[in-house]
Amino acid sequence: MKLEKKEPKPGMRTETRLWVLSFVFVLASFLSWYSTQKGMVTLFFVGQAGLALLASAVVQITEIVFSGSWKSFSFWLAFLISVSLSSFQFVETSYPAGQFREVAETGVNHIYTELLPKIQKDAAAQLDTLRTTVFSELDALEAAAADAEGAASSGNIFTTTDAEDLNSRYAQQTSRYPKGYENDIMFQNLLTAAALVHSGDTQNARLLIEQSLGALDELVDIAATGRQKAFYRDIRTDFNGLGVLVSQQENTGAAAVSAGAKAMRSALMQGTLDTAALRADADTLVAQAMAVELPIDTAKLAILRDSVLDFAALVELNTRLKEHQAEQPALAQRLAAAGAAEDDQQALEGVQTVWREELEGLRAEIAASPLANRDKHLTTLDKLTGTYLQTACNSIQITWAVLHIRQVGIRNALPAIGSILLAALLDLSASAAFESAKELRRQRAKERFFEGTQPKTLY
């Protein structure tokens, strides 16, 4: 006797499917509701767990109510809110202290090793520009010094500053001058100016010469006789000669300025540079040029000094960058020692402390430099510290850190990607289970309705 296999009744299969769909809906909705609530506490309702629960319930209910309409704005808004906030919690769970330490080390090391060459490249380019500027200003300074030296030594026929020689020379020409010329105030001023030049008092000599020349121009014009005119003309010529001698004495420093400019040019071409000496030489050179009163704009001297100082500062920064690169093996050892702590949280904090010390030192060096792209590099360092090296990170900050795939690598980012997909799957599963269950109930009600309206067969 062959036993026939009994097929489950259609009504039983429907009830089983409804039970499974209800279980999926309840479980997925609960997980999504709870994780969304945790995200809201972190982001919106800090310390207000009750409000977060209510807000999360509103999001879940909105998502379920509009789940039948895939084009509904309300559904997708609730879906995005729920998935985003749930993802933060799942990511935080996926990255305990030990795993986040690996993410932080990888991310910081990636950016740090890329940043050092970029800063060096910017510094090298700016050094080339500054060197060109300094050479240009040194050319102008040397030209001004050469002009001053040439003006002081050219065309001066006045060769004596001795009062007796002057008296003797004028006495030999008494026939050309009016009687009593030796008592004339202009002649006395000439003798006094010569004595001042002879003693090296160039400041008072120049003042007396300028005053006398101003008066002599008028005296030559109003002279009543030919002898007076000749006398004042000769005195004016001698005053001009004394003025040239004064300029020559004042500009003896022009040669020193020229030599200093050449020495600075040579120093800037050396492979190794004494930056402290370079700064001192720049101050000395500008001070000499100002004292000699070279025919050069003071603004150009200021540009020369500032450019030299910036050059020295960038050379020092470049030296420190090379030291940072050379110290990377030692840095790796310090990180390994800090990360060897038995407690994962303690290891994470130790690694973060080592990196913060390294980055803070680099940041201080860049901030103190005249680097043109300084602000951009400082912003990079600040973002790096804020992303990976905060002492206490919430779920949102952890998610942001691990999703920098280029820095942390795809392997370290996979748990975060999986967490986001899981959060999306929970919401989609709840919505799909709700709609499927609703459709099954509608079909079941329809079948029961038709069964109840069919006429009974009489036998």
Side-chain angles (χ1 to χ4, degrees):
M1 182 177 181
K2 187 176 181 181
L3 297 177
E4 293 183 1
K5 184 178 179 182
K6 293 184 178 180
E7 294 291 335
K9 296 180 179 180
M12 184 178 297
R13 289 199 301 269
T14 301
E15 292 298 326
T16 301
R17 292 179 62 190
L18 280 174
W19 185 89
V20 172
L21 289 172
S22 298
F23 176 76
V24 170
F25 168 72
V26 171
L27 182 60
S29 296
F30 174 79
L31 290 174
S32 180
W33 166 73
Y34 181 75
S35 57
T36 301
Q37 178 264 342
K38 296 286 288 183
M40 286 188 170
V41 169
T42 301
L43 188 60
F44 301 116
F45 304 107
V46 180
Q48 301 291 329
L51 287 176
L53 285 170
L54 291 175
S56 178
V58 169
V59 171
Q60 302 304 318
I61 292 172
T62 302
E63 191 174 354
I64 294 304
V65 168
F66 292 95
S67 60
S69 178
W70 296 100
K71 295 183 179 180
S72 170
F73 173 78
S74 298
F75 169 78
W76 287 111
L77 177 61
F79 176 79
L80 288 175
I81 293 174
S82 177
V83 170
S84 299
L85 295 178
S86 296
S87 299
F88 297 148
Q89 304 311 308
F90 294 155
V91 170
E92 183 178 19
T93 303
S94 302
Y95 289 88
Q99 188 163 354
F100 186 72
R101 176 177 61 81
E102 183 178 349
V103 171
E105 281 195 78
T106 304
V108 175
N109 186 67
H110 178 89
I111 298 175
Y112 181 75
T113 52
E114 282 188 348
L115 184 62
L116 287 180
K118 288 180 181 178
I119 301 174
Q120 282 184 306
K121 183 179 179 180
D122 290 345
Q126 193 171 344
L127 281 171
D128 289 340
T129 301
L130 284 173
R131 186 184 287 108
T132 301
T133 301
V134 171
F135 283 174
S136 176
E137 299 306 325
L138 288 176
D139 288 341
L141 184 59
E142 288 184 84
D147 290 343
E149 289 183 271
S153 60
S154 63
N156 184 21
I157 62 172
F158 196 86
T159 59
T160 181
T161 57
D162 186 83
E164 291 185 6
D165 289 344
L166 281 174
N167 267 320
S168 176
R169 193 167 56 131
Y170 273 81
Q172 293 173 7
Q173 305 181 70
T174 54
S175 61
R176 296 181 62 237
Y177 303 142
K179 292 182 179 181
Y181 73 87
E182 62 272 7
N183 296 320
D184 191 286
I185 186 64
M186 290 294 107
F187 185 68
Q188 295 298 321
N189 285 349
L190 178 63
L191 296 179
T192 302
L196 290 171
V197 174
H198 187 75
S199 65
D201 189 356
T202 56
Q203 184 176 0
N204 288 323
R206 179 173 289 282
L207 180 62
L208 182 56
I209 291 168
E210 291 175 351
Q211 292 174 347
S212 300
L213 284 173
L216 280 167
D217 288 338
E218 185 178 352
L219 289 174
V220 170
D221 292 337
I222 66 174
T225 65
R227 290 187 176 188
Q228 284 182 329
K229 195 177 288 288
F231 175 66
Y232 289 134
R233 282 176 177 170
D234 286 350
I235 292 179
R236 185 173 61 181
T237 300
D238 289 338
F239 266 121
N240 283 325
L242 281 175
V244 173
L245 286 177
V246 169
S247 296
Q248 189 173 6
Q249 289 184 7
E250 289 179 335
N251 289 317
T252 53
V257 171
S258 182
K262 287 181 172 61
M264 181 172 292
R265 187 190 305 276
S266 177
L268 291 173
M269 295 301 295
Q270 301 300 316
T272 57
L273 186 65
D274 186 343
T275 54
L278 183 64
R279 290 188 178 93
D281 290 344
D283 290 337
T284 300
L285 187 59
V286 171
Q288 286 177 334
M290 295 288 289
V292 173
E293 297 183 0
L294 294 181
I296 187 171
D297 191 351
T298 55
K300 295 183 74 62
L301 293 177
I303 292 173
L304 171 62
R305 182 181 182 275
D306 291 343
S307 298
V308 171
L309 296 183
D310 286 350
F311 190 92
L314 284 175
V315 168
E316 292 172 345
L317 175 63
N318 206 32
T319 300
R320 284 296 300 134
L321 292 173
K322 292 179 181 178
E323 291 174 356
H324 279 290
Q325 286 186 321
E327 292 167 357
Q328 286 193 18
L331 175 63
Q333 292 180 354
R334 292 169 56 202
L335 289 169
E342 293 184 2
D343 181 72
D344 287 341
Q345 185 62 35
Q346 184 179 354
L348 170 61
E349 292 175 359
V351 167
Q352 289 177 324
T353 299
V354 173
W355 268 121
R356 273 199 303 272
E357 291 174 355
E358 177 70 14
L359 297 185
E360 285 171 1
L362 178 61
R363 191 188 192 287
E365 291 158 2
I366 296 174
S369 74
L371 191 65
N373 291 333
R374 176 180 57 191
D375 291 342
K376 182 185 74 173
H377 296 310
L378 291 178
T379 299
T380 299
L381 288 173
D382 291 340
K383 287 181 178 179
L384 185 59
T385 302
T387 302
Y388 297 107
L389 303 180
Q390 292 199 48
T391 54
C393 293
N394 59 35
S395 57
I396 299 173
Q397 292 166 328
I398 292 175
T399 303
W400 174 253
V402 298
L403 286 180
H404 285 75
I405 300 176
R406 191 178 73 86
Q407 285 85 11
V408 304
I410 188 65
R411 182 178 66 84
N412 286 322
L414 276 177
I417 296 173
S419 297
I420 295 172
L421 293 176
L422 175 60
L425 179 62
L426 286 175
D427 282 64
L428 291 175
S429 297
S431 298
F434 179 81
E435 287 300 312
S436 297
K438 185 169 66 173
E439 180 64 24
L440 281 176
R441 289 188 179 93
R442 185 165 46 247
Q443 291 179 1
R444 185 181 63 179
K446 185 177 179 181
E447 291 172 357
R448 289 178 177 176
F449 174 78
F450 283 112
E451 287 177 0
T453 56
Q454 288 179 357
K456 296 180 179 180
T457 304
L458 298 176
Y459 295 98

